[in-house]
Amino acid sequence: MSGKTYVHGYTEREAERLRDQAETLTGLLHDDTRYPAGSRVLEAGCGTGAQTVILARNCPGARITSVDISEASLGEARKRVQAEGITNVTFEAGDIFDLQYEPGSFDHIFLCFVLEHLAEPCLALECLRPLLREGGTITVIEGDHGSAYFHPDSPYARRAIGCLVDLQREMGGNALIGRELYPLVAGAGYRDVHVSPRMVYVDATRPDLVLGFTRLTFTAMVEGVGEDAVARGMMSRQDWERGIADLYRTSEPDGVFCYTFFKATGRK
């Protein structure tokens, strides 16, 4: 991610969390992400391939080029795609601020959970725009940690989420970027920009989401920055543990959890 440290780390547990997240949110985020056969698609910032697998399944006839700056992540992505028997993806190392493709090389560009980790997200979108053919489209998906609310409410849980937001900001990213997608994409020169919010609502009647989203995706994500948050004095260890316990508490039978993702599309 342009040389920046990834706030969640590059552990096997984080790779598992990304896989859980992708599988849990496939219908919500990707049912309308489908490119026709023969399309040339650039996935910018593919990471360990969690979204790549979904993109390739949705668009079996498209020719997908997935790039990432991390060779380690690309290695994991290749293994994941090979294990799924997917054959329409090519992986290449590259920095999305300086990709060496000819202008107009792609019909579509796809970014999912990438801009939040960049210090200059608008510049990234501007750098990608020339790679689209005239009339080609871009799709950008991001979350917004400020959209999380839950029952039972807890100031400790809210502060734990705030620690993640603050840590990501210190690293040059923006965990609240979902609300900014319209001005970012439009400001980078794309036209016909449309943003659709995608809310995840979880209660006991949706056990797959209780496990897949509340526990394994969101709470696991926050929990993963605990050592950094405590070491920096953002919260005491006792208060941090209380906050994480309270987030897990929302997955109990009387708990409720809500979070909103934002999906933007635009055209060159």
Side-chain angles (χ1 to χ4, degrees):
M1 299 294 181
S2 192
K4 292 295 185 183
T5 301
Y6 178 54
V7 68
H8 306 299
Y10 292 96
T11 64
E12 176 58 29
R13 179 64 194 94
E14 173 59 12
E16 291 176 5
R17 187 192 69 78
L18 291 172
R19 185 163 54 248
D20 291 334
Q21 174 178 258
E23 292 174 357
T24 299
L25 300 173
T26 295
L28 181 75
L29 299 181
H30 301 302
D31 264 3
D32 54 351
T33 306
R34 299 181 186 275
Y35 303 121
S39 296
R40 302 161 300 168
V41 180
L42 172 65
E43 181 190 15
C46 66
T48 59
Q51 307 297 329
T52 311
V53 170
I54 297 167
L55 192 62
R57 286 174 180 163
N58 279 4
C59 316
R63 293 172 290 160
I64 301 169
T65 301
S66 296
V67 302
D68 201 88
I69 199 168
S70 167
E71 289 285 2
S73 294
L74 285 170
E76 291 298 316
R78 288 189 184 97
K79 287 191 287 187
R80 179 172 293 173
V81 163
Q82 289 169 1
E84 295 287 335
I86 292 169
T87 59
N88 62 327
V89 179
T90 300
F91 290 100
E92 297 182 0
D95 185 331
I96 65 175
F97 291 95
D98 188 31
L99 293 176
Q100 302 299 306
Y101 299 112
E102 292 294 322
S105 292
F106 299 97
D107 301 299
H108 308 283
I109 295 177
F110 176 85
L111 300 91
C112 187
F113 308 144
V114 173
L115 297 184
E116 63 170 305
H117 301 293
L118 304 180
E120 298 179 285
C122 189
L123 178 60
L125 294 171
E126 291 172 355
C127 290
L128 291 170
R129 188 173 175 274
L131 304 182
L132 275 177
R133 65 166 172 80
E134 289 299 322
T137 69
I138 189 167
T139 297
V140 185
I141 301 173
E142 295 289 348
D144 190 315
H145 295 353
S147 71
Y149 59 95
F150 38 84
H151 172 80
D153 194 12
S154 161
Y156 299 95
R158 283 187 270 114
R159 181 58 198 136
I161 296 169
C163 288
L164 173 54
V165 173
D166 292 344
L167 284 168
Q168 197 155 333
R169 184 183 300 114
E170 288 180 13
M171 292 181 179
N174 181 6
L176 309 178
I177 201 167
R179 69 191 71 180
E180 299 180 24
L181 282 193
Y182 179 82
L184 281 172
V185 178
Y190 298 88
R191 56 189 175 87
D192 301 332
V193 179
H194 174 74
V195 177
S196 59
R198 311 288 175 101
M199 176 184 281
V200 183
Y201 170 79
V202 188
D203 63 27
T205 67
R206 304 178 181 195
D208 290 348
L209 287 176
V210 170
L211 177 63
F213 187 76
T214 304
R215 296 183 68 87
L216 296 181
T217 295
F218 189 84
T219 303
M221 174 181 64
V222 177
E223 189 174 18
V225 302
E227 291 303 318
D228 280 347
V230 172
R232 294 175 184 234
M234 293 177 165
M235 292 180 75
S236 69
R237 185 167 297 279
Q238 181 179 4
D239 287 352
W240 175 265
E241 292 176 354
R242 169 73 183 274
I244 296 302
D246 286 351
L247 281 175
Y248 279 116
R249 170 68 180 81
T250 68
S251 65
E252 296 298 319
D254 62 341
V256 173
F257 195 92
C258 295
Y259 185 92
T260 303
F261 293 92
F262 296 85
K263 183 171 188 175
T265 57
R267 189 175 302 278
K268 181 177 178 181

